[in-house]
Amino acid sequence: MRQRFQLPEGVIYLDGNSLGAMPRAVPARMHRAIEQEWATGLIRSWNDADWYPAPQRVGARIARLVGAEDNEVIVADSTSVNLFKLLVAALRMRPGRSLMLGERGNFPTDAYVAQGVAEITGTQFRAVEPDEVLAALNEDVAVLALTHVNYKSGQAYDMAAVTRRAHEVGALVIWDLAHTAGAMPCALNDCEVDFAVGCGYKYLNGGPGAPSFAFVARRHQEGLRQPLTGWHGHARPFAFTHGYEPAPGIDRMLVGTAPQLGLIALEAALTAFDGVDLQALRAKSVALTGLFIALVDQELGAHGFGLATPRDPALRGSQVSLTHPEGYAIVQALIARGVIGDFRAPDILRFGFAALYLGHCDVWNAVAALKSVMAEGDWRKPEFMARKAVT
Amino acid sequence: MRQRFQLPEGVIYLDGNSLGAMPRAVPARMHRAIEQEWATGLIRSWNDADWYPAPQRVGARIARLVGAEDNEVIVADSTSVNLFKLLVAALRMRPGRSLMLGERGNFPTDAYVAQGVAEITGTQFRAVEPDEVLAALNEDVAVLALTHVNYKSGQAYDMAAVTRRAHEVGALVIWDLAHTAGAMPCALNDCEVDFAVGCGYKYLNGGPGAPSFAFVARRHQEGLRQPLTGWHGHARPFAFTHGYEPAPGIDRMLVGTAPQLGLIALEAALTAFDGVDLQALRAKSVALTGLFIALVDQELGAHGFGLATPRDPALRGSQVSLTHPEGYAIVQALIARGVIGDFRAPDILRFGFAALYLGHCDVWNAVAALKSVMAEGDWRKPEFMARKAVT
């Protein structure tokens, strides 16, 4: 499967959890989209190149990776915008309740969006510690919104158990699959999940700023009222009527004109999953993250690293996070040696293991490089300690 | 300037008001973005390829086309989503008022979004006929939202006069510049406009589904509270704090990760405006639309067409719309002859004249083709009468 990706020489890429590597299928497809479909086909390509149904078609490809069916997943907008739509829609389905529940350590945009929803809807957003989530579920909670795999620690929730408990108190559940989709199997329908959002540019490898996806369980689609009522979510967008009337099914999650260039790149990228057994992908991922932890234990014991990710593979996604007070500079020094991970404030060194394009050898070499960085102390150089705009 | 665009052989493209033609600068720039910045640079390109400041940088290019200053325009999301943000922000700036005023013939998404805002904020949206707008302005109106050039008729409002009248009653104004930006000069700051949104894929030629732009006058930026509070609009997105704190200035209009591939295409496309005098562009546009109207009068009088666009050039944008009860089939027959316009229900034939890449000769040949379609009756063929998904 590694041959399906174009990776630079001399780089071990452990940041596919932030921006996935480029699948080789992308450039030729984009060339065709730009030179033929846009430049030559022009406006006709909305019909002739099947641009118009792309959000649904790409959604169906993602549905297979997250345990959903066709017409339960659609690609649109950003993860933040999709979360806004679904939080409001969920609140509207629980009119007697006014509480959104989340987790304090969640990726910030999820908290920020919930704060924005609380303000505009006059409801409340409460964020608790991860181990307090189940106890905080009660009949005031309209919707529980969690990220399945934590962006910092790599820790994964038990999706089935948490969803079941939320449903027991009558709450709806939104899972953010940013660090799940494409990294590990996910069984949205088997877990009876209500809604989900996810990211196109991490383990799905759709390219920088790729559009996001949203899942709405079929049982909720006809009752869904999301607030961003744009023309592409209308029942008859080309009738150009004055009054909004939501499209049947998942299409009502659409807002404006779909970002075709991003959609086309994402669609081509998803062919990297063709024929991939997600259980085998998971087994490889667990082997890679397990080996990394074992080698860090064995090789780096003297250098003051902590482990932020659970040792039990059932409790983690496809990343391993270390802690170190000099984490920022260490990550920069490691990048200079060709091993690309990233840093998350205040002290997290993140290493993502995209099992489609990484092997055990990469893990050995990455740990060896980290050991050299620490032994030789090159992270102390000023150029590694100066912060960049994007960390 | 036509040499800056790649146009197919045998086509006269009069639909740049729907999807702009492809600037020749785009393919090489996209190739570099994909093969070098993404595939080789990977996550490092957020810093090294200046991906991170792209929304502001591309916004500054657009600012010059719409009479705004750097840091008053930013590129993000879709036009519909940006309109949602600004309608809510405007309502919050006028807390004693609960009315959004619009125009009944506006592009539907503008009306749909306002209806969605009305529902979630508990305010009202009132749409009146275009000639009733000024009379409907009163001290209940928090915000007036209009499209400067109507998508169907091509009729243009007097931006200065309407804005002034709205301000006299204390209302804020949002202009939708979908059919203005890149087509004609626009003086947002001279007209003391409060807010604007616009489209990247029409006269700005950014490619299918290109991201949108939003304008916020500098005097309103510090007080702006838009509801889609995502991490890229945060004051310190990479501090990963729990509480939302808006970025200073226009940056708070951002939500999620910027759609880089779309942004990069749009940025390259905008180089087609380098050195262009917008007054000269407007003069050419007026000459083209004027010639089209004159030739339609002269050549097509017997075929039952009406003119939906004002004859006074001061009252129109860069398109001419005809009416005909068989408009749909006529447009399809015309496309088969290589003259691409489009149709808008129920009876509008739209012809956009993007003055950067069209000449007077194109206008003559387009009218000749339309005359042949009518004289030979080829629009009556069944393949031209059958509706496609996107019209």
Side-chain angles (χ1 to χ4, degrees):
Chain A
M1 296 301 167
R2 186 185 182 106
Q3 295 311 311
R4 295 182 174 180
F5 292 84
Q6 182 173 321
L7 288 157
E9 290 285 318
V11 163
I12 297 174
Y13 192 56
L14 306 182
D15 210 8
N17 51 322
S18 188
L19 174 66
M22 192 195 71
R24 289 187 195 275
V26 170
R29 179 67 190 91
M30 289 301 281
H31 185 267
R32 183 156 57 90
I34 292 168
E35 295 269 0
Q36 292 178 29
E37 294 173 11
W38 176 12
T40 303
L42 291 161
I43 192 71
R44 297 170 291 198
S45 290
W46 282 101
N47 290 302
D48 299 348
D50 282 328
W51 285 352
Y52 194 65
Q56 294 83 354
R57 191 175 66 238
V58 185
R61 273 195 177 269
I62 295 170
R64 287 168 225 148
L65 301 177
V66 295
E69 294 183 30
D70 291 0
N71 302 316
E72 289 188 316
V73 176
I74 200 159
V75 177
D77 302 308
S78 68
T79 308
S80 301
V81 171
N82 283 329
L83 184 60
F84 183 90
K85 298 175 200 167
L86 289 176
L87 282 168
V88 174
L91 285 165
R92 287 173 170 173
M93 286 180 176
R94 292 293 182 270
R97 302 179 178 211
S98 64
L99 189 59
M100 293 175 283
L101 182 64
E103 178 210 313
R104 198 151 172 95
N106 201 347
F107 187 73
T109 211
D110 295 60
Y112 302 156
V113 168
Q115 290 162 31
V117 170
E119 185 174 7
I120 198 168
T121 58
T123 58
Q124 297 217 304
F125 170 58
R126 183 179 174 213
V128 299
E129 296 302 320
D131 58 4
E132 298 168 348
V133 168
L134 291 184
L137 279 166
N138 60 44
E139 295 189 355
D140 296 331
V141 178
V143 55
L144 171 65
L146 293 173
T147 299
H148 178 227
V149 176
N150 187 274
Y151 80 107
K152 266 190 179 173
S153 67
Q155 182 157 353
Y157 280 100
D158 181 336
M159 183 180 284
V162 173
T163 302
R164 194 181 318 119
R165 177 70 191 128
H167 286 172
E168 282 169 8
V169 300
L172 295 161
V173 179
I174 304 173
W175 287 103
D176 181 338
L177 304 178
H179 293 269
T180 305
M184 57 197 293
C186 173
L188 291 177
N189 279 329
D190 285 352
C191 296
E192 297 183 6
V193 168
D194 302 293
F195 309 109
V197 296
C199 177
Y201 54 79
K202 296 179 185 290
Y203 293 99
L204 298 182
N205 312 302
S212 158
F213 68 88
F215 161 84
V216 177
R218 198 176 311 279
R219 67 186 176 280
H220 291 311
Q221 290 182 1
E222 288 313 305
L224 189 90
R225 290 190 303 119
Q226 65 92 351
L228 293 169
T229 48
W231 69 307
H232 278 256
H234 193 278
R236 291 166 294 120
F238 292 93
F240 297 99
T241 59
H242 178 71
Y244 183 74
E245 180 191 336
I250 190 91
D251 293 7
R252 67 184 60 181
M253 285 292 289
L254 297 177
V255 188
T257 302
Q260 282 297 327
L261 296 182
L263 264 169
I264 288 168
L266 175 57
E267 183 171 32
L270 289 167
T271 64
F273 286 93
D274 284 353
V276 170
D277 175 341
L278 292 178
Q279 298 299 334
L281 184 81
R282 174 64 176 167
K284 178 73 175 284
S285 161
V286 167
L288 293 172
T289 53
L291 177 62
F292 185 79
I293 292 170
L295 289 173
V296 166
D297 285 345
Q298 179 183 307
E299 302 292 329
L300 291 166
H303 293 292
F305 288 100
L307 178 67
T309 303
R311 289 180 182 274
D312 178 354
L315 299 182
R316 67 176 184 251
S318 200
Q319 81 179 53
V320 178
S321 297
L322 306 179
T323 61
H324 195 287
E326 299 296 342
Y328 180 83
I330 293 168
V331 165
Q332 307 313 313
L334 202 52
I335 291 172
R337 287 175 181 257
V339 178
I340 302 181
D342 67 18
F343 172 77
R344 287 293 174 258
D347 63 351
I348 297 272
L349 301 87
R350 289 201 308 180
F351 301 99
F353 296 88
L356 279 186
Y357 52 82
L358 291 172
H360 293 86
C361 188
D362 296 314
V363 177
W364 280 88
N365 290 334
V367 175
L370 183 53
K371 189 176 178 181
S372 295
V373 163
M374 301 313 294
E376 297 171 25
D378 51 356
W379 60 268
R380 289 195 174 84
K381 293 179 184 170
E383 68 262 36
F384 298 139
M385 303 193 75
R387 299 289 173 116
K388 295 178 183 174
V390 181
T391 60
Chain B
M1 297 301 168
R2 186 186 182 104
Q3 295 312 311
R4 294 182 174 181
F5 292 85
Q6 182 173 321
L7 287 157
E9 289 285 316
V11 163
I12 297 174
Y13 192 57
L14 307 183
D15 211 8
N17 52 322
S18 189
L19 173 67
M22 192 195 73
R24 289 187 195 275
V26 170
R29 179 67 189 91
M30 288 300 280
H31 185 267
R32 183 156 57 90
I34 292 169
E35 295 270 1
Q36 291 178 30
E37 294 172 11
W38 177 11
T40 302
L42 289 161
I43 193 71
R44 297 170 291 197
S45 290
W46 281 102
N47 290 302
D48 299 348
D50 281 329
W51 286 351
Y52 195 65
Q56 294 84 353
R57 190 175 66 237
V58 184
R61 271 194 177 271
I62 295 171
R64 286 166 226 151
L65 301 177
V66 296
E69 293 183 32
D70 291 2
N71 302 316
E72 289 187 315
V73 176
I74 199 160
V75 178
D77 302 308
S78 67
T79 308
S80 301
V81 171
N82 283 329
L83 184 60
F84 184 91
K85 297 175 201 168
L86 290 177
L87 282 169
V88 173
L91 285 165
R92 287 172 170 172
M93 287 179 174
R94 292 292 180 272
R97 302 179 179 210
S98 63
L99 188 60
M100 293 176 280
L101 183 65
E103 178 210 313
R104 204 160 168 87
N106 201 347
F107 188 73
T109 212
D110 294 61
Y112 302 157
V113 168
Q115 291 163 30
V117 170
E119 186 175 5
I120 199 167
T121 57
T123 58
Q124 297 217 305
F125 170 58
R126 183 178 174 213
V128 300
E129 295 301 322
D131 58 6
E132 298 168 350
V133 167
L134 291 185
L137 280 167
N138 60 44
E139 295 190 354
D140 296 330
V141 178
V143 55
L144 170 66
L146 293 172
T147 299
H148 178 227
V149 176
N150 187 275
Y151 79 108
K152 268 190 178 173
S153 67
Q155 183 158 354
Y157 281 99
D158 180 336
M159 184 180 283
V162 174
T163 302
R164 193 181 319 117
R165 178 67 191 127
H167 287 171
E168 282 169 9
V169 300
L172 296 161
V173 179
I174 304 174
W175 287 104
D176 181 337
L177 304 179
H179 293 269
T180 306
M184 57 197 290
C186 173
L188 291 176
N189 279 330
D190 285 350
C191 296
E192 297 183 6
V193 169
D194 303 292
F195 308 110
V197 296
C199 177
Y201 54 79
K202 297 180 185 291
Y203 294 99
L204 298 182
N205 312 302
S212 159
F213 68 88
F215 161 84
V216 177
R218 198 177 310 277
R219 67 186 176 281
H220 291 311
Q221 291 182 1
E222 288 313 306
L224 189 88
R225 292 190 302 120
Q226 66 92 352
L228 293 169
T229 47
W231 71 305
H232 278 257
H234 193 279
R236 290 166 294 121
F238 292 93
F240 297 99
T241 59
H242 177 73
Y244 183 74
E245 181 191 334
I250 189 91
D251 294 6
R252 66 183 62 182
M253 284 292 289
L254 297 176
V255 188
T257 303
Q260 282 296 328
L261 296 183
L263 264 169
I264 289 168
L266 175 58
E267 183 172 33
L270 288 167
T271 63
F273 287 92
D274 283 354
V276 170
D277 175 342
L278 292 179
Q279 299 299 336
L281 184 80
R282 174 63 177 167
K284 177 73 174 283
S285 161
V286 166
L288 294 172
T289 53
L291 177 61
F292 184 79
I293 293 170
L295 289 174
V296 166
D297 286 345
Q298 178 183 308
E299 302 292 328
L300 291 167
H303 294 292
F305 287 101
L307 178 66
T309 304
R311 288 180 183 275
D312 178 354
L315 299 181
R316 66 176 184 251
S318 200
Q319 81 179 53
V320 178
S321 297
L322 306 179
T323 61
H324 196 288
E326 299 298 340
Y328 180 81
I330 293 168
V331 166
Q332 305 314 311
L334 202 53
I335 291 171
R337 287 174 181 258
V339 179
I340 302 181
D342 67 18
F343 172 78
R344 286 292 174 259
D347 64 350
I348 297 272
L349 301 87
R350 289 202 309 182
F351 301 98
F353 296 88
L356 278 186
Y357 51 81
L358 291 171
H360 294 86
C361 188
D362 296 315
V363 177
W364 280 88
N365 289 333
V367 175
L370 183 54
K371 190 176 178 182
S372 296
V373 163
M374 301 314 294
E376 298 171 26
D378 52 354
W379 59 269
R380 290 194 174 84
K381 293 179 185 170
E383 69 262 34
F384 297 139
M385 304 193 74
R387 298 291 174 115
K388 295 178 181 174
V390 181
T391 61

